[in-house]
Amino acid sequence: MAGYIARRSVILILSLFVAAIVLFALLRLLPGDPANALLGVGATSEQIAAARAQIGSDQPLMVQFLRFITSLARFDFGTSFVSKAPVLGEIANRMSVTAPLTLGGFLVAVVIAVPLGIVAAARANRWYGAAISIFSQFGIAIPVFWLGILLVALFAIRWRIFPSGGFPLKGWERPGEAAVALALPVLTVALVIAASLIRYVRASTLDVLTSDYLRTARALGARFPEALVRHGIRNGAVPVVSILGIELATTLLGAVVVEKVFALPGLGLMLLLAIQQRDYPNVQGVLFVSTLIVLLIGFAADILQRFIDPRLRTTGTGR
């Protein structure tokens, strides 16, 4: 197991290096000159030349790339062209919104999807089992922005239970206000993820229900709930863990839509503004941090699968 973790760690580092190369190339392909974005409209040629020397864009590409990689290794993303604030500090501030939104929506979705998916599989021949499956199909078809607008119309405008959007200026200094502000966004994220997860949990549970070891346990006198909990859930969790990792990564990357609908000052909105304003340091920082988090999620999901299923730790698995 230790050897596998070491190999996956090497793959993680190599993946980050490849991602850094792609990010470096994409930033150079963006239209416009970073020096112009730094100075704004009306800059003279002398000022532009000085700005290029300041940010290093007048250097050969190889020199720029080495400086780029060295800065990323130190988590030094520079200073924002617009706000003049350190990019890493701005990302940390934005993550105080994006992280609770993503993790909260994900955890609520798991709490909803796991029991409903098991019920949908175990009671597939009952009306409520079919109703759960229909709900999941319907939920997958609904665009996340439309669901967010619908929840705002119901819970904020009609019933006036939650605010329609925004986030407290003081952030989490007042946890109650911050939690209330994130209630509808978290519910939006949770319902979208839950609709997708229910399908995977149901499919995995159906495979377990037709397995020989579950029938053997039932033949030996175990009741159905007992046999399912003791012998089925662990085996059925292996493919679901992989899907959970994908869904969590997708939720993080797709948070920009929810943040836009609810006017949340999160990481996704920071990226949108940075692209519109051609704030290259902010674009670089957000994309690299997002890539790092997604790779770490995949790494953790892979390791967790091997802890759950000992068969994956044996030799000859091809990994």
Side-chain angles (χ1 to χ4, degrees):
M1 190 66 185
Y4 176 78
I5 293 177
R7 291 194 300 273
R8 287 291 287 118
S9 299
V10 172
I11 294 174
L12 175 65
I13 295 173
L14 292 176
S15 300
L16 274 176
F17 182 73
V18 173
I21 294 175
V22 174
L23 180 58
F24 177 82
L26 288 177
L27 288 177
R28 270 58 190 177
L29 292 175
L30 286 176
D33 190 336
N36 290 330
L38 177 62
L39 295 173
V41 180
T44 65
S45 57
E46 292 79 9
Q47 291 174 327
I48 293 176
R52 286 173 179 166
Q54 176 185 345
I55 63 180
S57 61
D58 60 337
Q59 299 292 324
L61 279 178
M62 184 54 66
V63 176
Q64 293 184 45
F65 178 71
L66 291 177
R67 292 178 58 184
F68 179 79
I69 291 296
T70 304
S71 298
L72 290 184
R74 300 196 310 265
F75 274 79
D76 179 11
F77 303 121
T79 303
S80 168
F81 289 167
V82 177
S83 66
K84 310 301 180 183
V87 175
L88 187 59
E90 184 68 17
I91 290 176
N93 291 334
R94 301 284 185 148
M95 282 297 292
S96 66
V97 177
T98 300
L101 170 63
T102 304
L103 293 177
F106 178 76
L107 292 176
V108 173
V110 171
V111 171
I112 295 173
V114 171
L116 288 183
I118 294 175
V119 171
R123 297 293 182 263
N125 57 341
R126 303 289 181 86
W127 68 267
Y128 49 88
I132 293 174
S133 299
I134 294 173
F135 161 77
S136 67
Q137 295 291 340
F138 184 69
I140 293 172
I142 298 178
V144 62
F145 68 88
W146 188 87
L147 178 60
I149 294 173
L150 177 62
L151 293 180
V152 167
L154 291 177
F155 290 94
I157 298 176
R158 183 171 183 177
W159 296 328
R160 301 181 182 276
I161 299 176
F162 297 110
S164 60
F167 197 74
L169 294 177
K170 295 184 178 181
W172 290 94
E173 290 183 11
R174 296 181 177 179
E177 291 184 9
V180 171
L182 287 180
L184 282 185
V186 166
L187 182 59
T188 302
V189 171
L191 291 178
V192 172
I193 302 176
S196 178
L197 283 180
I198 287 173
R199 292 179 57 204
Y200 294 108
V201 174
R202 181 180 181 275
S204 182
T205 305
L206 286 175
D207 290 339
V208 168
L209 294 178
T210 57
S211 61
D212 293 335
Y213 57 83
L214 195 68
R215 283 196 294 264
T216 302
R218 294 293 307 280
L220 292 175
R223 294 180 301 170
F224 176 75
E226 179 185 359
L228 184 62
V229 171
R230 294 186 58 183
H231 305 285
I233 289 181
R234 185 172 183 178
N235 290 279
V238 175
V240 173
V241 167
S242 178
I243 298 301
L244 288 176
I246 296 174
E247 289 290 342
L248 181 56
T250 304
T251 303
L252 174 67
L253 297 177
V256 58
V257 179
V258 178
E259 290 174 3
K260 187 68 174 178
V261 171
F262 291 96
L264 296 175
L267 205 61
L269 198 57
M270 177 182 175
L271 179 59
L272 282 180
L273 292 175
I275 294 174
Q276 293 171 0
Q277 298 168 346
R278 294 183 180 178
D279 195 344
Y280 295 99
N282 274 354
V283 174
Q284 165 190 305
V286 173
L287 290 179
F288 183 78
V289 169
S290 300
T291 302
L292 175 61
I293 294 174
V294 169
L295 289 175
L296 288 175
I297 290 172
F299 176 82
D302 201 2
I303 300 301
L304 182 58
Q305 278 185 309
R306 290 181 173 257
F307 274 114
I308 293 176
D309 191 348
R311 294 172 298 180
L312 298 178
R313 297 177 229 162
T314 61
T315 58
T317 58
R319 297 187 180 183

